[in-house]
Amino acid sequence: MGSAAVAQLARRGLSVLGLDQFAPPHALGSSHGSSRIIREAYFEDPRYVPLVQRAFAAWRELEAASGESLLTVTGGLMLGRPDSGIVTGALASAAAHDLPHDLLDAAQLRHRYPQFTLPNDVVGVLEPRAGILAPERAIAAHFAVARAHGATLLLNTPMLAWEPSDGGVTVGTEHARFTARRLVLSLGAHAAQHVPQLAPHLQVQRNVLYWFDAARNGAQFAPGRFPVFIQELSPQRSWYGFPDTGAGIKVALHQQGEITTPEQIRRTVNDDEVTAMRRIMREMLPDADGAVRTTSVCMYTNTPDFHFVIDTLPAAPQVVLASPCSGHGFKFASAIGEVLADLVMDMPPAFDLALFRLGRLTV
Ligand SMILES: Cc1cc2nc3c(=O)[nH]c(=O)nc-3n(C[C@H](O)[C@H](O)[C@H](O)COP(=O)(O)OP(=O)(O)OC[C@H]3O[C@@H](n4cnc5c(N)ncnc54)[C@H](O)[C@@H]3O)c2cc1C
């Protein structure tokens, strides 16, 4: 969110300073692991659809500006029982926004995607435009655009504190204090530390990514033949995966990890966790159950309703909040950068932000 914001603000001709405690892209936050799903028939709420549609276009614009390949279309399969939130939600968004999609029953799914072993009562919503974003390359591309438009990026420079001053803000680091007219806080899992109003409402959750080699017939998991997918295994329990783009078949559980903090998060993955994931692979995607190539630990920053916070601070409207994103924000970053720039410049955002208001949490 921060890299998108600095790119947008610099492009609009503002004088921009970007600070990060590390040097993005890095593996200590929420935006690493080489791939993120982007999808359009958004099961979480149809109100996300206009934002993600703008994000698709903005990712393509960023590709053109940076010369980087960032978005690979693979199609996306939302799997679950007909009454599951994933299926009903994807269909609701598709209907509300007239999105291209196919609803496949179990027999059709087996025929089209024999990689899956699916129960008879599972259906799938297939959306053709979904795909994979490359998060590290996307962050680097946003940084390149920001620098090309004159932004200063101070990396490995933690913000120690911020305070309102003369209608603007002052930000303190170890060696300097900076004053600015506006501040965008896109702190990911660290948001609670610097925005006390958010603290009681946020939970940082540890989530593990796994990369498996195919056990057999690896070609069937190539991007042309295997889509990104999310499957509701039971209410409140989902997993998702990606085709093999060279590093293995990546899979993960969604919203299942332990609650933690950025300081205390357990960064190693134990054998029991791998075994539990392998059990799901054996049941649902048996040919993908080969050797584990690697794992990675990442953080979700969840709100109680799992929607984002994108808003100005009521007590300090010169401060714009750009996260938390409840484990599903990356796909929107290119568009959220534009929204943040609108809020910084006191321009009416092009999207309805009602879903993301801070006030819904603090009342
Ligand atoms: C395992 C996993 C899988 C996911 N899958 C998907 C997916 O498929 N699709 C999707 O759309 N989304 C997905 N998400 C969610 C998405 O990746 C996140 O919502 C998004 O990347 C969060 O971006 P952010 O900028 O808020 O946080 P981050 O990328 O973590 O950035 C926050 C930055 O703030 C910096 N920072 C914090 N405190 C300070 C400070 N005091 N001073 C200076 N810098 C500071 C940090 O160093 C960090 O670089 C996934 C997330 C995880 C963890």
Side-chain angles (χ1 to χ4, degrees), residues 319-334:
V319 179
V320 179
L321 297 180
S323 47
C325 292
S326 301
H328 61 116
F330 196 90
K331 62 184 76 62
F332 299 95
S334 57

Side-chain angles (χ1 to χ4, degrees), residues 1 20-21 26 30-31 36-37 159 240 298 329-331:
M1 304 304 154
D20 200 289
Q21 64 184 344
H26 59 77
S30 306
S31 302
R36 289 291 185 270
I37 295 176
M159 175 186 78
Y240 62 92
C298 189
F330 196 90
K331 62 184 76 62

Side-chain angles (χ1 to χ4, degrees), residues 214-230:
R216 321 162 255 286
N217 199 2
Q220 65 183 320
F221 295 103
R225 291 176 61 184
F226 191 65
V228 294
F229 74 90
I230 306 178

Side-chain angles (χ1 to χ4, degrees), residues 161-176:
W162 67 270
E163 60 188 8
S165 60
D166 296 333
V169 286
T170 300
V171 167
T173 67
E174 192 185 347
H175 298 296

Side-chain angles (χ1 to χ4, degrees), residues 33-37 116 207-213 221 226-231 233 238-244 247-254 269 273-274 276-282 284-297 300:
S34 71
S35 53
R36 289 291 185 270
I37 295 176
F116 289 101
N207 280 275
V208 181
L209 300 164
Y210 304 81
W211 285 260
F212 285 77
D213 281 331
F221 295 103
F226 191 65
V228 294
F229 74 90
I230 306 178
Q231 180 179 11
L233 298 166
S238 303
W239 77 311
Y240 62 92
F242 298 77
D244 185 352
I249 302 148
K250 178 177 150 185
V251 292
L253 290 165
H254 182 51
V269 178
E273 293 177 283
V274 175
M277 178 51 76
R278 196 178 276 293
R279 210 172 290 132
I280 300 172
M281 301 282 281
R282 275 198 188 137
M284 298 295 173
L285 212 53
D287 285 358
D289 174 34
V292 175
R293 272 209 207 175
T294 186
T295 58
S296 181
V297 170
Y300 286 7

Side-chain angles (χ1 to χ4, degrees), residues 42 47 128 130 157 167 182 213 254 280 314 322 363:
Y42 218 64
R47 285 173 286 178
T157 307
R182 294 282 193 271
D213 281 331
H254 182 51
I280 300 172
V363 287

Side-chain angles (χ1 to χ4, degrees), residues 85-350:
I86 283 179
V87 168
T88 58
L91 290 174
S93 274
H97 294 279
D98 197 17
L99 305 178
H101 69 286
D102 286 320
L103 177 60
L104 306 175
D105 64 20
Q108 290 167 315
L109 286 167
R110 283 186 200 115
H111 179 69
R112 204 140 155 192
Y113 297 110
Q115 299 93 334
F116 289 101
T117 305
L118 295 169
N120 284 333
D121 57 352
V122 163
V123 299
V125 182
L126 179 67
E127 53 164 303
R129 294 199 279 239
I132 307 173
L133 289 165
E136 289 87 352
R137 287 207 299 273
I139 291 168
H142 272 138
F143 272 5
V145 168
R147 286 192 176 104
H149 288 84
T152 302
L153 302 180
L154 274 188
L155 307 183
N156 298 308
T157 307
M159 175 186 78
L160 300 180
W162 67 270
E163 60 188 8
S165 60
D166 296 333
V169 286
T170 300
V171 167
T173 67
E174 192 185 347
H175 298 296
R177 284 168 69 78
F178 301 97
T179 56
R181 284 173 46 221
R182 294 282 193 271
L183 174 65
V184 176
L185 290 175
S186 56
L187 301 169
H190 298 262
Q193 277 169 246
H194 293 284
V195 189
Q197 297 92 319
L198 277 176
H201 310 288
L202 299 187
Q203 284 194 326
V204 174
Q205 187 185 47
R206 174 181 177 274
N207 280 275
V208 181
L209 300 164
Y210 304 81
W211 285 260
F212 285 77
D213 281 331
R216 321 162 255 286
N217 199 2
Q220 65 183 320
F221 295 103
R225 291 176 61 184
F226 191 65
V228 294
F229 74 90
I230 306 178
Q231 180 179 11
E232 187 174 301
L233 298 166
S234 59
Q236 314 303 327
R237 190 153 181 267
S238 303
W239 77 311
Y240 62 92
F242 298 77
D244 185 352
T245 53
I249 302 148
K250 178 177 150 185
V251 292
L253 290 165
H254 182 51
Q255 295 288 7
Q256 302 296 309
E258 64 210 35
I259 302 306
T260 183
T261 66
E263 295 74 30
Q264 293 170 341
I265 187 165
R266 188 163 58 88
R267 294 233 168 246
T268 52
V269 178
N270 63 37
D271 291 347
D272 289 351
E273 293 177 283
V274 175
T275 303
M277 178 51 76
R278 196 178 276 293
R279 210 172 290 132
I280 300 172
M281 301 282 281
R282 275 198 188 137
E283 194 183 337
M284 298 295 173
L285 212 53
D287 285 358
D289 174 34
V292 175
R293 272 209 207 175
T294 186
T295 58
S296 181
V297 170
C298 189
M299 293 182 284
Y300 286 7
T301 309
N302 292 330
T303 61
D305 59 10
F306 300 103
H307 296 306
F308 308 159
V309 176
I310 304 173
D311 207 347
T312 52
L313 269 181
Q318 67 274 41
V319 179
V320 179
L321 297 180
S323 47
C325 292
S326 301
H328 61 116
F330 196 90
K331 62 184 76 62
F332 299 95
S334 57
I336 288 178
E338 297 175 348
V339 170
L340 298 172
D342 289 343
L343 292 174
V344 163
M345 298 173 78
D346 295 327
M347 290 164 56

